[in-house]
């Protein structure tokens, strides 16, 4: 995922200036993906050149003119395309942006992506649990190197459990209410 897609999601929610986007990122998407003011402005310029955003210049008294960005039809089409595109290498940040933007595309396609990622994480969780059972049958008796290996494995198990639980929560929420 590129910063462009996160910006398309944010601008689809509400038009804004580069400064306003930076503030929004700090309070929402930026909690798990940071983008500097300079990065956002560079990307907005590229997006404008690509036709993904339109710019309205608003005159301000005593200040430079303000550029307010909105998503163009071309930008909406790109967002819909990206939301529906499978990405086997997507991490939690990319998936979070897709979930946030689901309403601007096909939520069922986003749910399909979540199902694929859930299966991958559930499979990894099963492998980790098999290793735990096979290699660490008595964890209370561990010390030194073996304890340290076990603790790392437990960290992996906890991460995968969390991912699977989150995906289950997302899928339940995205399920049509009449289903």
């Amino acid at each position: 995922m590129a910063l462009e897609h996160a910006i398309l999601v944010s601008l689809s929610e509400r038009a804004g200036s580069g400064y306003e986007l930076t503030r929004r990122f700090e309070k929402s998407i930026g909690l798990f993906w940071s983008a500097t003011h300079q990065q956002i402005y560079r990307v907005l310029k590229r997006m404008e050149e690509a036709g993904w955003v339109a710019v309205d210049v608003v005159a301000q008294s005593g200040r430079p003119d303000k550029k307010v960005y909105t998503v163009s039809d071309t930008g909406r089409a790109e967002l819909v395309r990206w939301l529906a595109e499978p990405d086997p290498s997507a991490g939690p940040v990319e998936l979070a942006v897709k979930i946030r933007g689901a309403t601007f595309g096909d939520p069922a396609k986003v749910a399909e992506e979540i199902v694929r990622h859930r299966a991958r994480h559930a499979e990894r969780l099963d492998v980790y649990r098999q290793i735990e059972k096979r290699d660490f049958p008595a964890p209370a008796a561990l010390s030194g190197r073996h304890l340290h290996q076990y603790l790392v494995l437990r960290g992996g198990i906890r991460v995968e459990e969390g991912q699977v639980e989150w995906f289950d929560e997302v899928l339940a929420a995205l399920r049509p209410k009449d289903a």
Side-chain angles (χ1 to χ4, degrees):
M1 173 189 72
L3 178 55
E4 284 88 341
H5 297 108
I7 289 174
L8 284 172
V9 169
S10 186
L11 288 175
S12 294
E13 293 172 343
R14 188 173 70 235
S17 68
Y19 177 80
E20 291 163 345
L21 275 171
T22 301
R23 294 296 158 251
R24 276 192 245 162
F25 264 66
E26 290 172 357
K27 296 176 182 173
S28 62
I29 293 171
L31 296 174
F32 49 87
W33 184 23
S34 63
T36 67
H37 196 68
Q38 293 81 10
Q39 286 174 306
I40 289 174
Y41 274 102
R42 277 194 306 271
V43 169
L44 282 169
K45 183 174 174 30
R46 282 197 311 265
M47 293 172 72
E48 182 181 1
E49 291 167 356
W52 290 5
V53 294
V55 180
D56 288 321
V57 178
V58 177
Q60 300 187 110
S61 177
R63 293 192 211 168
D65 292 346
K66 176 176 163 178
K67 290 183 174 183
V68 177
Y69 296 89
T70 56
V71 179
S72 69
D73 290 341
T74 305
R76 275 189 285 287
E78 169 57 22
L79 183 57
V80 168
R81 182 205 64 76
W82 176 75
L83 288 166
E85 180 181 64
D87 184 356
S89 65
V93 172
E94 291 86 0
L95 293 172
V97 173
K98 280 193 174 196
I99 293 164
R100 179 141 180 183
T103 194
F104 304 111
D106 182 350
K109 291 286 186 190
V110 174
E112 288 172 14
E113 180 79 343
I114 299 304
V115 167
R116 282 189 290 278
H117 284 271
R118 187 205 181 282
R120 192 179 86 230
H121 285 275
E123 183 178 302
R124 189 177 303 147
L125 176 59
D126 288 343
V127 168
Y128 289 174
R129 285 180 173 157
Q130 289 170 15
I131 292 169
E132 180 182 37
K133 186 176 179 179
R134 180 192 70 214
D135 295 351
F136 304 103
L142 297 173
S143 64
R145 177 173 53 94
H146 297 290
L147 173 61
H148 303 150
Q149 291 169 346
Y150 173 73
L151 292 172
V152 170
L153 178 63
R154 284 298 303 156
I157 289 170
R158 298 290 299 268
V159 166
E160 297 305 328
E161 286 173 339
Q163 283 291 176
V164 169
E165 288 172 15
W166 179 53
F167 291 141
D168 287 343
E169 182 179 339
V170 168
L171 291 169
L174 292 179
R175 189 172 302 119
K177 301 303 178 212
D178 57 311

